[in-house]
């Protein structure tokens, strides 16, 4: 049973004339008659009495007309709701971000929420792999990550920026005067690092293992904001993507030498239909960086 069959039936029931109904539905009379016949066969009862050129509803037709009108009305209401949603940018936007983006995304969210007041924005923090999985299972609409592994279909990626991993210290730190530091020298520096499982932590762990280093990791924190705040007010250092230091004027970024430090960041979506809010947010976030 198709919606257009119900529409043909309703129009014919209203005008009680197959030719006129066909004209109003912009189909041939034979095409309309054929579809109504299929509808009757599916229902197992005739919907019209055909007496010469005259048409009358049967008892079954009168009963079915009530329900057919409700079905078509509900479909039209659904279409209208979607159109309204697109115009008003309502509903819910579910964002997944790795910890570095927690700082970069807040100003955009603030401005976006003020612009689209009918939209509810939900932000979830997590590791790259966990967020990718939630994107695949439709628990998230958009994911922002720095990723070191290949991203495969059905996930689609939009490049954002390249950011170098740096050692960050407070401007009062004894190493703050340095412009560069060899990666192996970091073994002697007390560190605060993101918790295990984060992409940034996995990145440095691979390097520590590769160079047989035993770093002095004093504290682990999953909150990048809290981590940078502690570094800002202490003699500890950390290793983060340089983009994460945006707005932290009391921290100094020291370039790391001897290893590859470039990391690529992406916006991730699932291919196919995208919410209008997703597209608009992607545009706004790209402008912000």
């Amino acid at each position: 049973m198709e919606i257009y069959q119900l529409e043909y039936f309703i129009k014919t029931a209203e005008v009680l004339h197959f030719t006129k109904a066909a004209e109003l539905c912009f189909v041939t009379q034979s095409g309309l008659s054929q579809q109504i016949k299929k509808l009757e066969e599916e229902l197992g009862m005739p919907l019209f009495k055909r007496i010469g050129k005259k048409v009358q509803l049967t008892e079954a037709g009168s009963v079915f007309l009530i329900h057919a009108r409700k079905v078509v009305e509900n479909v039209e209401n659904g279409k209208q709701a979607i159109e309204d949603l697109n115009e008003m940018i309502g509903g819910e936007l579910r964002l997944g971000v790795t910890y570095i983006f927690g700082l970069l995304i807040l100003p955009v969210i603030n401005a976006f929420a003020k612009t689209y007041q009918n939209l509810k924005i939900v932000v979830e923090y997590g590791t790259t792999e966990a967020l990718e999985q939630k994107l695949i299972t439709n628990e998230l609409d958009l994911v922002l990550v720095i990723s070191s592994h290949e991203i495969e279909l059905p996930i689609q990626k939009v490049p954002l920026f390249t950011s170098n991993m740096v050692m960050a210290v407070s401007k009062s730190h004894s190493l703050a005067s340095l412009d560069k530091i060899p990666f192996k020298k970091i073994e002697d520096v007390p560190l605060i690092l993101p918790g295990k499982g984060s992409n940034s932590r996995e990145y440095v762990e691979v390097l520590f293992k590769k160079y047989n280093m035993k770093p002095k990791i004093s504290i682990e924190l999953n909150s990048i904001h809290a981590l940078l705040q502690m570094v800002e007010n202490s003699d500890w250092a950390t290793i983060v993507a340089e983009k994460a230091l945006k707005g932290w004027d009391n921290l100094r970024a020291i370039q790391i030498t001897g290893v590859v430090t470039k990391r690529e960041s992406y916006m991730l979506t699932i291919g196919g239909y995208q919410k209008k809010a997703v597209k608009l947010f992607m545009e706004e976030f790209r402008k912000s960086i």
Side-chain angles (χ1 to χ4, degrees), residues 52-239:
K53 293 185 179 180
K54 293 184 179 180
V55 178
Q56 291 181 350
L57 280 170
T58 63
E59 183 179 3
S62 297
V63 171
F64 188 66
L65 179 62
I66 297 170
H67 297 284
R69 280 176 169 158
K70 286 182 180 179
V71 170
V72 172
E73 182 181 358
N74 286 338
V75 170
E76 290 302 318
N77 288 342
K79 289 179 181 177
Q80 186 61 51
I82 295 300
E83 290 174 5
D84 291 346
L85 188 64
N86 281 333
E87 292 301 319
M88 297 170 63
I89 315 299
E92 188 172 85
L93 175 62
R94 303 163 300 172
L95 305 173
V97 296
T98 50
Y99 300 107
I100 177 181
F101 284 98
L103 304 174
L104 298 176
I105 207 171
L106 293 180
V108 185
I109 289 175
N110 185 45
F112 206 74
K114 288 179 180 178
T115 302
Y116 305 107
Q117 297 184 15
N118 294 309
L119 180 69
K120 179 182 178 182
I121 303 174
V122 179
V123 181
E124 181 171 338
Y125 294 85
T127 62
T128 298
E129 288 76 12
L131 295 175
E132 285 178 9
Q133 188 57 42
K134 289 197 172 186
L135 184 64
I136 290 172
T137 56
N138 197 36
E139 296 173 71
L140 294 171
D141 300 311
L142 176 67
V143 168
L144 306 176
V145 300
I146 287 185
S147 181
S148 58
H149 69 276
E150 283 296 318
I151 296 169
E152 300 177 350
L153 295 174
I155 295 176
Q156 294 184 346
K157 63 182 181 182
V158 178
L160 276 174
F161 55 78
T162 299
S163 183
N164 288 313
M165 299 297 288
V166 297
M167 187 175 80
V169 297
S170 71
K171 288 187 174 180
S172 61
H173 195 283
S174 59
L175 299 177
S177 60
L178 296 178
D179 292 322
K180 300 177 181 179
I181 185 171
F183 184 74
K184 288 187 177 182
K185 289 286 186 182
I186 294 176
E187 187 174 27
D188 302 323
V189 182
L191 298 172
I192 301 176
L193 290 181
K196 291 181 179 179
S198 73
N199 201 268
S200 297
R201 179 61 180 273
E202 288 179 358
Y203 169 80
V204 294
E205 288 287 350
V206 169
L207 292 176
F208 290 150
K209 185 175 181 180
K210 179 179 179 179
Y211 292 101
N212 296 313
M213 294 168 61
K214 295 182 179 179
K216 299 175 181 178
I217 303 172
S218 303
I219 301 172
E220 295 181 0
L221 287 171
N222 281 331
S223 167
I224 291 294
H225 188 277
L227 185 154
L228 294 179
Q229 197 169 47
M230 290 195 72
V231 171
E232 185 180 45
N233 297 296
S234 70
D235 291 326
W236 284 303
T238 191
I239 301 174

Side-chain angles (χ1 to χ4, degrees), residues 168 182 195 265:
S265 65

